[in-house]
Amino acid sequence: MRKALVCGAGGFIGGHLVKKLKREGYWVRGVDIKEHEFAPSAADEFLLLDLREEQNCRAALTLGEGPFDEVYQLAADMGGMGFIRSAECEIMRNSALINIHMTHQAAQAGVGRYFFSSSVCVYRDMQPGEPEMSEEEAVPANPDNEYGWEKLYAERMAMAYARNRGMTVRIARFQNCYGPEGTWTGGREKAPAAICRKVAEAQDGAAIEVWGDGNAVRSYTFVDDMVDGIYMLMQSHLEGAVNIGCPQYVTVDELVDTVAEVAGKRIEKNYVEGPVGVHSRNFSNARIYSIGWRAKYFLQDGIAKTYPWIEEQVRLHKADKIHPAD
Ligand code: NAD
């Protein structure tokens, strides 16, 4: 039986990835600094460890017999644009420490394959209508935020270990990912979850606050598609960074309209100042398409699966406030 380690298994994508690996027949160890907030982990074993500490990375990688066949490194001090703008030092320090120690220890342990979760935040800002950017166009680099710079460093570190220590490395640059069982409130939530929450809290016909002017362009990838992409990339021969994203690009206004439609509510938009991030995104998926991956969910289908889950969280949260547990 193949054995996999998922770092960040208490988080959104890591939690879904553990389920995917279980379906594929793996024995899975999950590791995170916290338990999963929304669902019990599907991992065979779950360790609570702070991966900023090198000895904890070593402990996570230690098995009774032989090294892990596959290590998926998704642990990061991470959040939506509000968090990215307000926690620059935490991101630069915490995520870099995790990646420095985990990459080195994975190579020391002799793991079969090492996956690193990077982001399209490594690319520069784009204007609407610009042609697609391919992976190598991330350099010369000018990421819009420190989160992107840390990811670029961690990518290069993983590639250096691939070249010099013989570790097989796979690197994905994720577009925005959304779905059930992800952070939906508290300041770390990303745009799709935040908009779903605001719409769930709003009365029919009410206005919700939207950061910026609603014209920023994004691609949103449903989490089931993302974990399929991660798994296919890990099994593939593709070296270097690989974009993974839904080919449908929408404005923030279109995201709000899609959520409102799924919710069956009329929603007005009240544009306010906020940390919007880049103006536009448009990336080539040619590399991930070359191994047969395609997004199965367009925005409407993914939101139809995500909104009911967030609406339920909002309802439970409200009930909890009215009737708090003793
Ligand atoms: P998430 O915040 O839900 O998961 C990250 C997990 O890492 C969390 O559970 C957190 O507790 C854990 N973690 C943080 N510090 C840790 C530490 N010191 N030790 C151990 N665990 C620690 O985020 P996610 O959306 O699941 O993202 C997973 C990965 O994908 C991250 O590396 C993220 O940067 C990347 N990514 C995500 C998106 C997205 O849209 N969600 C987009 C691009 C890239």
Side-chain angles (χ1 to χ4, degrees):
M1 189 186 245
R2 282 182 296 173
K3 293 192 164 68
L5 174 67
V6 177
C7 309
F12 168 47
I13 304 175
H16 284 274
L17 181 62
V18 169
K19 289 185 206 168
K20 164 81 181 169
L21 292 169
K22 287 306 300 169
R23 288 195 296 275
E24 297 292 337
Y26 284 69
W27 183 90
V28 182
R29 174 184 287 167
V31 57
D32 203 295
I33 200 168
K34 64 162 179 63
E35 303 275 358
H36 200 291
E37 261 173 88
F38 307 114
S41 176
D44 297 282
E45 187 177 89
F46 191 93
L47 306 183
L48 280 175
L49 291 171
D50 182 346
L51 296 176
R52 290 172 299 182
E53 305 289 341
E54 187 162 15
Q55 73 273 16
N56 289 343
C57 292
R58 200 179 309 123
L61 286 155
T62 302
L63 273 175
E65 69 305 335
F68 276 98
D69 300 295
E70 296 177 7
V71 172
Y72 294 83
Q73 198 326 67
L74 289 97
D77 202 356
M78 153 72 184
M81 209 35 78
F83 176 76
I84 285 174
R85 289 280 184 238
S86 65
E88 293 184 327
C89 300
E90 291 81 352
I91 290 168
M92 289 303 256
R93 178 172 188 274
N94 296 337
S95 296
L97 283 173
I98 295 170
N99 286 316
I100 287 168
H101 294 317
M102 193 40 96
T103 313
H104 179 72
Q105 285 300 326
Q108 292 287 97
V111 303
R113 286 181 170 237
Y114 186 81
F115 173 90
F116 174 59
S117 54
S118 185
S119 161
V120 295
C121 281
V122 301
Y123 295 101
R124 63 167 170 80
D125 191 5
M126 295 177 78
Q127 295 303 314
E130 273 196 62
E132 272 183 356
M133 247 197 243
S134 62
E135 284 83 352
E136 63 271 22
E137 288 176 88
V139 178
N142 189 18
D144 171 67
N145 50 59
E146 303 312 318
Y147 171 75
W149 283 106
E150 191 282 324
K151 289 288 190 196
L152 262 187
Y153 173 77
E155 281 189 9
R156 294 192 74 89
M157 174 156 188
M159 288 192 283
Y161 274 77
R163 282 192 303 276
N164 297 293
R165 301 288 168 89
M167 185 162 72
T168 300
V169 167
R170 297 290 173 262
I171 298 171
R173 290 182 185 155
F174 300 164
Q175 294 262 21
N176 253 298
C177 182
Y178 70 100
E181 298 177 7
T183 305
W184 60 276
T185 190
R188 286 184 186 243
E189 64 278 20
K190 307 193 102 196
I195 299 295
C196 285
R197 185 197 70 233
K198 289 178 186 186
V199 169
E201 287 168 346
Q203 302 290 327
D204 188 26
I208 63 164
E209 282 194 350
V210 175
W211 291 350
D213 60 8
N215 290 321
V217 174
R218 299 285 183 274
S219 148
Y220 298 107
T221 305
F222 188 61
V223 67
D224 289 6
D225 283 335
M226 191 61 87
V227 296
D228 285 352
I230 293 170
Y231 184 70
M232 287 176 75
L233 175 58
M234 186 65 141
Q235 310 311 313
S236 80
H237 61 282
L238 288 183
E239 294 184 340
V242 178
N243 298 329
I244 302 182
C246 177
Q248 179 191 26
Y249 286 86
V250 297
T251 63
V252 171
D253 273 350
E254 286 167 330
L255 170 65
V256 176
D257 293 343
T258 303
V259 173
E261 199 180 322
V262 168
K265 292 182 181 177
R266 286 167 300 122
I267 294 291
E268 302 292 325
K269 302 169 197 98
N270 178 19
Y271 300 110
V272 296
E273 288 262 322
V276 177
V278 297
H279 292 90
S280 191
R281 296 292 201 199
N282 190 18
F283 302 117
S284 166
N285 284 319
R287 298 202 77 211
I288 192 74
Y289 286 177
S290 75
I291 57 168
W293 180 87
R294 292 288 183 285
K296 297 191 184 84
Y297 291 85
F298 275 53
L299 189 62
Q300 179 93 20
D301 316 314
I303 292 293
K305 290 199 167 263
T306 308
Y307 180 79
W309 183 82
I310 293 183
E311 189 186 40
E312 174 74 353
Q313 302 307 305
V314 169
R315 205 180 53 71
L316 293 172
H317 195 67
K318 217 188 269 172
D320 198 39
K321 271 190 177 162
I322 298 168
H323 305 291
D326 288 342

